[in-house]
Amino acid sequence: MRALRIPTDAADPLTELEVHTLEDYQAAVGGWIEPVDIPDLGVTVYVHEEGLVLGLPFNSRATFLWWYYVPEARQKAMLVGSALVVGLPDRNGDNTDIPRDTAALLGQPGKWRVEARPKAEPAWIQIPGTYNDYFEALVWAMVTLERWTAAEDVRVVPVGTGITTVPIRASDGADLEHPPAV
């Protein structure tokens, strides 16, 4: 089955690989495996079950991916060590291939931006800056949500999608070019 490995070092590239046996999964994460589902993305992320106890390094890409798509996990837990991403289990409980669109989203180069929606507002506003890496955009989306108290939600969108945004307005009705620095 097709899988994507996310190493802990953000400078190391993601790698596609084939996994078929429990031993393949264990080799990819370096030990016993623990699944973390991300239903909205259609994937399960496997990490080392004892990674925290063993003091494995923080995996920022896997953690921020999880936090972005699973809000209940934000700031409560982190993923450590190398991560292996496969598709969600089928009806029989067997893992499936990582969805092609998800593999492309995570592994292909692109240009991304972060948008935020202020509380009680229907419109999304563009946060200044663009990112050449989807994972870097996820980090800034989470930072924006944490640091900008007026933000109710965030999203990461590809640059040039035609999604329109409107400027945020100050309490006096004046347009602001962007939200407060985060």
Side-chain angles (χ1 to χ4, degrees), residues 114-118 123-127 144 148 151 153-155 179:
V114 175
E115 295 181 345
R117 188 171 38 112
W124 291 88
I125 59 128
Q126 185 173 331
I127 304 300
T144 299
W148 189 33
D153 200 3
V154 292
R155 66 183 181 190

Side-chain angles (χ1 to χ4, degrees), residues 68-69 101 104-105 108-115 126 129-134 137-138 155-165:
Y68 180 75
Y69 285 99
D101 57 339
L105 173 73
Q108 298 299 318
K111 198 155 199 94
W112 306 93
R113 71 173 182 239
V114 175
E115 295 181 345
Q126 185 173 331
T130 58
Y131 308 94
N132 294 325
D133 181 85
Y134 183 71
L138 291 177
R155 66 183 181 190
V156 173
V157 297
V159 172
T161 60
I163 296 174
T164 57
T165 57

Side-chain angles (χ1 to χ4, degrees), residues 117-120 143-153 168 179-182:
R117 188 171 38 112
K119 293 176 182 165
V143 168
T144 299
L145 192 58
E146 179 183 309
R147 300 290 309 261
W148 189 33
T149 58
E152 180 174 16
D153 200 3
I168 186 169
V182 292

Side-chain angles (χ1 to χ4, degrees), residues 29-60:
V29 303
W32 297 106
I33 58 174
E34 179 177 3
V36 176
D37 288 339
I38 305 177
D40 288 349
L41 200 52
V43 300
T44 298
V45 178
Y46 284 93
V47 292
H48 192 302
E49 183 178 48
E50 297 178 322
L52 289 170
V53 173
L54 295 172
L56 295 181
F58 177 63
N59 190 321
S60 62

